[in-house]
């Protein structure tokens, strides 16, 4: 089990910045693969940041160069820094975790509660 509790988000003007936080805990958290997803109204959930089994962090083309992840290992908090935000970044954002088994990331099956990001033009 992995518990994910999100915070941050809100409303910002285009070009602004926001930082999302995701506090992780639980017996399956250590070594878990972490990612971020978003879902806009009427659209499917899409991945934004994905940790591959190798540990390589992959960013969706739409956010490459504008979004960056980091983490506070002492507090088990993961961050998604979002800069130069655009109106089409508006969505509910979710952090996600997946167990790592024999070095490979399983599908994401632990989700945060979501946090809303709204970018005004």
């Amino acid at each position: 089990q992995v518990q994910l509790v999100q915070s941050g988000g809100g409303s910002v003007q285009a070009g602004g910045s926001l930082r999302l936080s995701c506090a992780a805990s639980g017996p399956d958290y250590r070594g878990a693969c972490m990612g971020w997803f978003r879902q806009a109204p009427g659209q499917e959930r899409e991945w934004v940041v994905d940790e591959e089994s190798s540990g390589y962090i992959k960013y969706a083309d739409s956010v490459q160069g504008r979004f960056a992840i980091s983490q506070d290992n002492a507090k088990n908090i993961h961050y998604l820094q979002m800069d130069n935000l655009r109106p089409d970044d508006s969505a509910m954002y979710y952090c996600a975790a997946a167990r790592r088994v024999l070095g490979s990331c399983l599908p994401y099956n632990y989700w945060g509660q979501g946090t809303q990001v709204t970018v005004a033009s």
Side-chain angles (χ1 to χ4, degrees):
Q1 287 290 326
V2 179
Q3 290 78 44
L4 302 173
V5 179
Q6 295 182 230
S7 60
S11 298
V12 67
Q13 293 290 320
S17 298
L18 286 172
R19 189 177 76 165
L20 308 183
S21 300
C22 176
S25 62
D28 291 331
Y29 165 65
R30 189 162 301 279
C33 307
M34 300 295 295
W36 290 86
F37 291 73
R38 67 186 181 187
Q39 187 170 20
Q43 299 186 21
E44 294 187 355
R45 185 176 296 185
E46 63 173 353
W47 70 272
V48 176
V49 183
D50 179 36
E51 180 181 358
E52 297 183 341
S53 298
S54 63
Y56 176 75
I57 303 300
K58 183 173 60 177
Y59 294 87
D61 290 344
S62 58
V63 306
Q64 181 74 46
R66 300 187 299 120
F67 290 14
I69 63 168
S70 62
Q71 62 187 82
D72 182 331
N73 291 322
K75 298 180 179 179
N76 294 341
I77 299 177
H78 297 259
Y79 300 101
L80 177 64
Q81 177 68 39
M82 305 182 293
D83 297 322
N84 193 20
L85 282 160
R86 308 184 308 214
D88 61 0
D89 292 318
S90 297
M92 185 73 78
Y93 282 73
Y94 300 88
C95 62
R99 291 179 59 212
R100 190 187 300 271
V101 178
L102 299 179
S104 294
C105 298
L106 298 183
Y108 292 107
N109 63 336
Y110 301 106
W111 298 88
Q113 81 277 19
T115 184
Q116 181 67 41
V117 170
T118 302
V119 184
S121 57

